[in-house]
Amino acid sequence: MLRRCRARVRPALAEAVRRLDPYTGEMAAYGMGWADADGGRAAGASEGKGVRPALAVLGAEAVGADGSVAVPGAVAVELVHAFSLLHDDIMDGDAVRRRRETVWKAYGTGPAVLAGDALFALAVQVLAEVPGPHTGAAVRRLSGALAALVRGQAEDLCFERRPWTGPDAVGPDAYRSMAEHKTGALLGCAAALGAQLAGAPDGTVSALDRAGRHLGVAFQAVDDLLGVWGDPVVTGKPVHGDLRQRKKTFPVLAALAAGGVASRELAALLESPRAVQAAEVARAAALVEEAGGRAAALTEARRGLDAARGCLRQAPLAPGAVRDLEALLAVLADRAR
């Protein structure tokens, strides 16, 4: 199903990226896994899962339309996603994504920022050029998702300044809010845009948006799990990478909130002013699991997926498309195992 949706969207996405100037276009192609750093074809590079374009296509099909009506929306959300990854890698200092250098490491920070800006502008342009009566509402939805994404990223950055323990520590509710904005807003926008461009009623569009937002919280919880215990061959990132960078992720926060001996030892490791050594990172991962952080993140992911399914089942959607959407949710669940 992901391959089917990618085949429908990929030509239009490539055509959109070709509209960029050669320099930012080269960086965009590199970031999307289409080319290497000297502009040649990227052998074996990953283009990502294509979840957001698939949600847009399936959103249109779910309201009885042909998936082709959603293609401009699918292209727009994938361009926004690509822009967000470029800037996110810079803010987090991540040097590797999908088993190769991130754009800022390959081209420099300034050029990577510029490429992200170009993708952002192109996303809005692609959607604004769609003919028909639903374009204005679609652009407003994308703009709202962009604002929410920026808010979520800001919340995530602010978490870095907050303590690991005590009354000012980041709690589960604050983390869920961040995840819904940073990850869920664009997933919800993707599913809703397909239906909106197809002319679906507002209630149906909103139900798809809510489903995507719940999916985003689950998606973030799974990514947090992979950031600690994921296989580098699969994730394309170093093992225990998030712990090594002392990121405030859901399993870590849940482990700290649990209390007990493992939580206190984990807090002492994370609050230490000195650099964490490799053995200590491995010990921290074991402590997170011992304190229940891994189990809590799995529960959080399942809760988000169940809430997304509930939204889909309450809306008047085509049964076949709902099955495809639920299959997409199952793919996410499998990533956490």
Side-chain angles (χ1 to χ4, degrees):
M1 181 260 295
L2 286 169
R3 284 195 298 271
R4 174 176 71 83
C5 294
R6 183 183 294 113
R8 174 161 274 185
V9 174
R10 176 70 157 75
L13 181 61
E15 182 181 351
V17 171
R18 282 195 292 269
R19 295 166 62 176
L20 296 173
D21 70 274
Y23 189 36
T24 57
E26 178 185 322
M27 288 185 282
Y30 176 87
M32 291 181 170
W34 302 346
D36 57 26
D38 61 9
R41 191 172 184 276
S46 171
E47 295 188 24
K49 297 173 287 296
V51 171
R52 290 155 191 83
L55 281 172
V57 172
L58 294 174
E61 293 176 351
V63 299
D66 188 275
S68 60
V69 74
V71 168
V75 170
V77 294
E78 189 65 0
L79 291 170
V80 169
H81 178 53
F83 135 72
S84 71
L85 294 183
L86 263 65
H87 285 193
D88 195 48
D89 286 338
I90 294 168
M91 287 181 275
D92 290 346
D94 287 338
V96 176
R97 179 176 291 278
R98 298 171 185 164
R99 295 180 294 281
R100 62 179 188 160
E101 284 188 324
T102 49
V103 175
W104 74 270
K105 285 295 290 184
Y107 289 89
T109 301
V113 170
L114 186 65
D117 292 344
L119 288 167
F120 168 32
L122 181 61
V124 177
Q125 184 178 7
V126 165
L127 194 57
E129 290 174 350
V130 176
H134 310 297
T135 303
V139 171
R140 287 192 294 274
R141 183 171 297 278
L142 182 68
S143 298
L146 280 163
L149 188 157
V150 170
R151 175 180 170 179
Q153 184 63 50
E155 290 171 339
D156 199 16
L157 289 174
C158 289
F159 287 173
E160 296 177 8
R161 301 198 299 267
R162 293 171 64 175
W164 288 102
T165 58
D168 293 328
V170 180
D173 287 343
Y175 192 85
R176 289 186 190 100
S177 172
M178 179 278 296
E180 181 179 336
H181 291 125
K182 180 180 177 180
T183 306
L186 193 57
L187 290 169
C189 177
L193 271 181
Q196 193 156 41
L197 290 170
D202 289 344
T204 303
V205 173
S206 295
L208 286 165
D209 195 323
R210 288 196 304 275
R213 287 173 180 267
H214 288 302
L215 174 61
V217 176
F219 201 101
Q220 189 64 55
V222 172
D223 265 9
D224 288 351
L225 283 165
L226 296 176
V228 179
W229 295 284
D231 182 350
V233 175
V234 177
T235 66
K237 293 186 177 183
V239 67
H240 298 156
D242 284 356
L243 275 176
R244 190 173 289 106
Q245 295 182 39
R246 305 194 204 201
K247 289 185 179 180
K248 290 184 173 69
T249 60
F250 193 90
V252 174
L253 296 174
L256 292 171
V261 176
S263 295
R264 289 192 291 273
E265 184 180 344
L266 177 63
L269 276 174
L270 294 170
E271 291 171 342
S272 172
R274 62 182 177 78
V276 183
Q277 303 303 310
E280 292 174 318
V281 172
R283 177 58 180 161
L287 289 168
V288 172
E289 185 157 13
E290 184 181 337
R294 185 171 191 165
L298 282 168
T299 299
E300 184 72 10
R302 294 188 188 104
R303 184 184 296 119
L305 292 172
D306 287 344
R309 291 187 185 100
C311 292
L312 295 176
R313 292 169 184 173
Q314 291 168 12
L317 303 174
V322 170
R323 284 194 295 272
D324 283 345
L325 285 164
E326 291 192 347
L328 192 57
L329 301 185
V331 168
L332 174 61
D334 286 342
R335 292 174 67 229
R337 293 175 184 169

